[in-house]
Amino acid sequence: MTENQKDMFLRALTEFGSCNVRVIGSSMWPFICNDDILCIKSGFKKPQLGMVVAFFNSNQLIVHRILCYKKIIDGVWRITLWGDSSPHSQSKILSDHIVGSLSHVQRKGKIIKMWFSPPIQILVLPLGFLLQLILIILKRGSKSFKIN
């Protein structure tokens, strides 16, 4: 995202309360897929376990899930975030760096409903890892798992 695009995104959040962005990447697969459209809403106040939030790392908008948080002072939390399919890429940020939270996901013109509340979503995250592992195994074939 260019500096100008970042400014337009932040202005839209402020003026309209939400902004749509197209996903490039797969760190939140299978919940969020490459080319999905995310509606990010402004007004983040308090973290919730499993909540999906947006923040900037330089000019890159990152959308990840809250794994845990700890209150530092009134209104400020230290938050650990991660992508559903990339637990090794955890981010630790302060809550005042969060620009918004996920309202909904649009995939191929249809709204994807969040079937579980955020805390329940945390419990089903291992399914994403399992699906990813199965795909890797299928791509490699059974020769990779021969026992001598």
Side-chain angles (χ1 to χ4, degrees):
M1 188 177 274
T2 67
E3 189 69 34
N4 190 38
Q5 289 171 324
K6 178 180 175 181
D7 289 342
M8 288 186 342
F9 171 82
L10 292 172
R11 196 172 324 123
L13 275 181
T14 303
E15 291 180 21
F16 304 111
S18 67
C19 186
N20 291 347
V21 292
R22 183 173 302 276
V23 175
I24 300 171
S26 60
S27 68
M28 287 293 290
W29 182 86
F31 179 62
I32 297 172
C33 300
N34 192 50
D35 245 12
D36 283 352
I37 295 175
L38 307 181
C39 179
I40 306 296
K41 63 180 177 180
S42 63
F44 175 82
K45 301 223 186 285
K46 182 180 179 199
Q48 185 180 11
L49 183 66
M51 178 185 279
V52 178
V53 295
F55 66 99
F56 279 98
N57 182 1
S58 203
N59 281 344
Q60 183 179 13
L61 181 66
I62 304 206
V63 177
H64 278 175
R65 189 178 304 280
I66 295 177
L67 180 61
C68 61
Y69 58 92
K70 180 179 180 178
K71 190 173 190 175
I72 297 175
I73 56 173
D74 283 345
V76 179
W77 292 268
R78 182 180 301 120
I79 300 174
T80 301
L81 303 134
W82 71 344
D84 289 358
S85 67
S86 56
H88 57 278
S89 64
Q90 294 182 1
S91 305
K92 294 185 181 187
I93 64 170
L94 295 178
S95 57
D96 55 0
H97 290 121
I98 293 175
V99 296
S101 60
L102 182 65
S103 171
H104 61 270
V105 178
Q106 188 176 351
R107 184 172 300 143
K108 296 179 183 175
K110 295 185 179 179
I111 301 294
I112 305 298
K113 295 186 189 274
M114 293 183 231
W115 295 102
F116 306 108
S117 64
I120 301 296
Q121 289 174 12
I122 287 287
L123 297 175
V124 298
L125 286 180
L127 294 176
F129 303 129
L130 182 60
L131 289 172
Q132 200 170 35
L133 180 62
I134 289 169
L135 288 174
I136 290 168
I137 291 169
L138 290 174
K139 284 181 183 177
R140 289 185 181 165
S142 60
K143 292 179 182 178
S144 301
F145 296 96
K146 281 189 175 178
I147 300 174
N148 295 327

